[in-house]
Every structure is written in structure tokens, then in C-alpha cells.
Amino acid sequence: MFKFLVGCVIGFFVGFVSFVLFFVSDTKFDMSVVTNLIIAAATVMATIIHFSSIRQQRKDRLWDLNKPILLGLSKSLSAVIKASEYYLQEEYARQHTDDAPNLNDQPDPSVYKEFDQKREYALEVYKVLMDKELIDALEKAKRINDNIDHGVHEHGVDHISAYEASISVNEDLQRKLSFFIAKTSGVNDM
């Protein structure tokens, strides 16, 4: 919108100066010249509209291609974060004799596997269609979570700190994924 307003102001200024220069000079007013100028201006406007339409169609096609995998990945990542928060609360309850989490809120144990599958699918198949920053964020989160998992199983890292680190990494990934979804879908352009 700002670009449109700036373009209108600059266009009005250039048009007004051209109009004044035209009348100040000793040029005779010929109707064929005016007709040609109007046709040229209409052609320029039609070209601008055409290129704008092509750019919007490209963005729409890119969103249509990415939509299923991005929304599925976002939903799966959200489920992983909720599951990690549940297991963190459960671990706190076990170590500190706090109230245990509600068993009705217990997550499906397959959320981690489902997220891993969706992440691998995004990294292997959709890598060329996604933003480099998002791909880097997915790879970095995978690497950190693998290191956390390795630390828990091999080096006896505390489960509470492991869950907290994993939640932090996944929430950061979720913010980047949400930003990319908003950018690609065109929600920010409205």
C-alpha cells in the first residue's frame, strides 16, 4: 500500500511538471499526439497490471504446492511441543513429588515419529520449494534434538533439562515455520 501511495505521488508530480512544461513551451496542441500519449499510458498501465498478475499467480502456485506439507508440519510440531510439555510436567512430578499431569491430557506416543516423518519428507522432497532459512531451521532443530536424544541415552543427561531444551528448540522452529507460512500464503500482504 505504501509503495502504491509513493508511486501515485511521484506519478502525479511527474505528470504535473510534464503538463506545465508542455503548455509553457511553444508546442502546438495536436489531437493525434494526445491520442498517442493516452494509448502509450494505457499500454504501460496494462503491462504493469499484467506483470503484477503473473507475480501473484506465481506466489499462489507456490503456496498451493507448499500448503499441505507446511500445515501438516506445523500441526505435527505443535503436537510434539504439547507432548514434550506433558512429559516435562510428568518428570517434574516424579522427581519433586508434585501433582502429576492429567492422564486425559496424555499425548499419543506416535507424535514424535509422525513429526520425524513429516520433517524428513519436507527436507527430502520439498527442499527445493521452501525458503532456505526454513530449511536451515529444520535441519538445525533436527541436529539439536538428535544431540539431546543422544545425550539422554548415552551420557545420562537429566530428562528435565532435555525436555526444556527440546521445547525451546521446537518453539523457535514453530515461530520460523509460522512466519514462513504467513509469508508464503500471502496473509502478510492483506
Side-chain angles (χ1 to χ4, degrees):
M1 184 69 180
F2 179 73
K3 291 179 183 178
F4 176 74
L5 291 175
V6 170
C8 286
V9 169
I10 291 172
F12 179 76
F13 178 73
V14 169
F16 182 74
V17 169
S18 300
F19 186 71
V20 169
L21 288 176
F22 179 73
F23 279 117
V24 169
S25 66
D26 273 341
T27 308
K28 296 204 177 194
F29 199 62
D30 187 8
M31 205 55 164
S32 65
V33 172
V34 172
T35 304
N36 287 337
L37 288 175
I38 291 173
I39 290 172
T43 303
V44 168
M45 289 302 294
T47 304
I48 291 170
I49 291 170
H50 175 71
F51 282 121
S52 174
S53 173
I54 287 174
R55 187 173 20 150
Q56 185 61 40
Q57 286 174 0
R58 285 183 183 156
K59 284 180 76 173
D60 290 344
R61 280 195 305 265
L62 184 63
W63 170 242
D64 287 339
L65 287 172
N66 282 328
K67 181 172 43 174
I69 188 67
L70 289 175
L71 294 178
L73 190 63
S74 180
K75 180 182 177 203
S76 181
L77 180 58
S78 178
V80 164
I81 291 171
K82 287 181 183 178
S84 295
E85 288 171 345
Y86 175 85
Y87 292 127
L88 175 65
Q89 185 180 1
E90 189 176 66
E91 195 65 33
Y92 267 126
R94 188 174 319 146
Q95 289 186 12
H96 302 292
T97 64
D98 291 340
D99 291 332
N102 188 352
L103 290 178
N104 293 334
D105 296 335
Q106 186 172 11
D108 184 15
S110 67
V111 295
Y112 293 102
K113 182 178 179 183
E114 180 184 336
F115 175 69
D116 284 342
Q117 289 173 344
K118 289 185 185 283
R119 180 181 55 204
E120 288 304 315
Y121 186 68
L123 288 173
E124 298 300 322
V125 177
Y126 279 86
K127 189 174 189 173
V128 295
L129 298 174
M130 289 186 188
D131 188 41
K132 181 176 177 3
E133 288 181 34
L134 180 62
I135 294 298
D136 291 343
L138 281 168
E139 289 173 343
K140 179 182 175 187
K142 179 183 181 208
R143 187 175 58 252
I144 292 172
N145 279 320
D146 287 346
N147 289 341
I148 292 170
D149 190 45
H150 179 73
V152 168
H153 293 302
E154 299 294 325
H155 302 292
V157 173
D158 180 39
H159 285 114
I160 290 177
S161 59
Y163 280 127
E164 288 173 344
S166 178
I167 290 170
S168 174
V169 167
N170 287 334
E171 285 176 342
D172 183 50
L173 177 61
Q174 189 176 37
R175 278 190 296 277
K176 290 177 181 175
L177 182 61
S178 296
F179 176 77
F180 182 71
I181 288 172
K183 184 175 88 173
T184 306
S185 68
V187 171
N188 292 339
D189 296 338
M190 291 183 182

